[in-house]
Amino acid sequence: MPEHSQLLHFKMDEALIPHGLPLVAGLTGFADSGSAVTAFTDYIVDTMDSQLIAEFDADELLDYRARRPTIYFDQDHLTGFEPPRLAFYLVNDEINRPFILLAGYEPDFKWEAFSRQVLAFVERFNISHTTWVHAIPMPVPHTRPIGTTVSGNRGDLIDQYSVWKPHTQVPANAMHLVEYRLQESDQEVVGFVLLIPHYLADTEFPSAALTALESVSSSTGLIFPTDQLREEGREFISKIDEQVETNEELSKLVHTLEQRYDSYMKENGVRSPLTDVEGELPTADEIAAELEEFLAYRRGSEEPGDMR
């Protein structure tokens, strides 16, 4: 582990770390539509039995001026500092099966060193396979299941779950590089890219986190407690539907997206109606404006009792 002393600091006795477990990963920073990755990783750490294994050195990987950490000011003095964390955790699923979670910020610097460190961890602890999740905005309706684009070397999962298989260049994130290096090393890896309705990309969309957990389950067989997310998702969709029903322009947009989505899923043609659209649709900003009254409660501008 050449970068061991510089990048990764173990907080758990390495002799106590089980070997042969699956690795689940999700990093935030570049794009996290619907807050899918943030919510899904926070949900695992906060609601499940987890222990910190090792933490990456933020001073080596993070641009603090671009993503400033939080410090608390209490009238006349500072009461605390919350540094960002990128770490490995040992977690038990709902039926007490262990796995390892890599979660936190996406590194700003030293991507190659970071990816080498992840590969060294995978090899050292005989990781059985790696599953990671990402989320991007797409012109799809919220009234249909969240689709995924699947990459990696798990052909069974790609065939079963990848609804959109583009030939394109995309801006990479750090986990893309990790996946690429894992494939070069003949390690088993799969990445799920969630296709989130673009007009909900800047919200906390509970169904996105739920789909992230379901994607990980399909790859690993792990069982997660999802009742809370399902209930939050139903409430969220109900509020969105209320806004759609009272706004003719928004209703027309959603109906158009539904038609194109259904046509694509039925025909699976070369030209995808998810991206090839005739005419102009309202932009994400315009749709966000239409939903402003509803989304305001997510920003804390309404009384909590109004939406409970």
Side-chain angles (χ1 to χ4, degrees):
M1 283 187 166
E3 279 80 29
H4 178 95
S5 62
Q6 295 181 4
L7 290 186
L8 189 63
H9 307 283
F10 278 80
K11 308 297 183 180
M12 178 185 291
D13 185 342
E14 295 180 47
L16 300 178
I17 302 172
H19 286 228
L21 300 183
L23 173 64
V24 175
L27 305 183
T28 61
F30 166 60
D32 186 14
S33 295
S35 295
V37 177
T38 299
F40 125 79
T41 54
D42 286 352
Y43 194 75
I44 290 176
V45 173
D46 294 341
T47 67
M48 305 179 73
D49 178 21
S50 63
Q51 303 174 66
L52 180 64
I53 292 177
E55 185 172 357
F56 286 92
D57 188 344
D59 280 353
E60 294 288 336
L61 299 179
L62 189 67
D63 182 352
Y64 284 93
R65 292 194 299 177
R67 288 186 280 179
R68 295 182 182 272
T70 300
I71 195 165
Y72 292 92
F73 192 90
D74 186 2
Q75 293 187 335
D76 58 0
H77 64 284
L78 302 176
T79 60
F81 174 69
E82 287 194 2
R85 173 172 282 179
L86 172 59
F88 290 102
Y89 301 85
L90 178 63
V91 188
N92 289 321
D93 76 353
E94 195 165 35
I95 57 175
N96 211 35
R97 288 182 299 180
F99 66 99
I100 293 174
L101 174 70
L102 171 60
Y105 60 84
E106 179 190 29
D108 294 309
F109 309 117
K110 298 187 177 182
W111 278 23
E112 289 287 4
F114 167 72
S115 63
R116 285 195 297 270
Q117 187 67 79
V118 174
L119 264 66
F121 187 98
V122 166
E123 293 172 356
R124 183 168 188 169
F125 298 104
N126 300 315
I127 294 296
S128 59
H129 53 274
T130 299
T131 303
W132 70 282
V133 178
H134 183 42
I136 62 173
M138 288 287 286
V140 293
H142 71 279
T143 53
R144 299 294 185 267
I146 295 174
T148 57
T149 289
V150 187
S151 60
N153 51 21
R154 299 277 305 273
D156 56 331
L157 295 174
I158 293 171
D159 292 341
Q160 186 172 358
Y161 294 106
S162 193
V163 302
W164 186 52
K165 300 177 182 179
H167 295 276
T168 186
Q169 292 181 325
V170 297
N173 63 47
M175 283 305 302
H176 281 126
L177 178 59
V178 169
E179 178 185 314
Y180 186 75
R181 298 302 184 208
L182 286 170
Q183 288 187 126
E184 287 184 328
S185 300
D186 293 323
Q187 299 282 351
E188 196 170 285
V189 60
V190 62
F192 289 89
V193 180
L194 278 56
L195 310 177
I196 306 300
H198 63 301
Y199 51 92
L200 299 178
D202 294 329
T203 72
E204 295 177 11
F205 188 18
S207 297
L210 178 61
T211 301
L213 289 171
E214 291 174 339
S215 297
V216 171
S217 291
S218 70
S219 171
T220 63
L222 295 167
I223 305 299
F224 299 103
T226 58
D227 289 348
Q228 178 183 334
L229 282 175
R230 291 182 190 280
E231 180 60 29
E232 291 175 356
R234 284 191 290 266
E235 293 178 1
F236 187 94
I237 293 296
S238 176
K239 295 296 182 181
I240 292 291
D241 288 341
E242 289 178 9
Q243 295 295 314
V244 171
E245 290 175 3
T246 58
N247 186 290
E248 184 178 350
E249 187 70 21
L250 189 56
S251 178
K252 182 179 179 180
L253 165 70
V254 172
H255 181 62
T256 299
L257 293 176
E258 288 174 338
Q259 289 182 316
R260 293 193 171 108
Y261 178 97
D262 293 342
S263 174
Y264 175 70
M265 294 301 290
K266 181 179 179 180
E267 302 296 336
N268 197 24
V270 175
R271 292 189 66 216
S272 168
L274 303 181
T275 54
D276 299 329
V277 180
E278 296 180 2
E280 295 185 357
L281 291 174
T283 66
D285 288 341
E286 291 170 337
I287 299 168
E290 297 288 354
L291 294 171
E292 184 173 0
E293 181 179 354
F294 162 64
L295 299 179
Y297 89 95
R298 290 281 173 177
R299 301 190 295 268
S301 62
E302 296 191 16
E303 292 297 327
D306 291 344
M307 292 295 172
R308 300 290 179 184

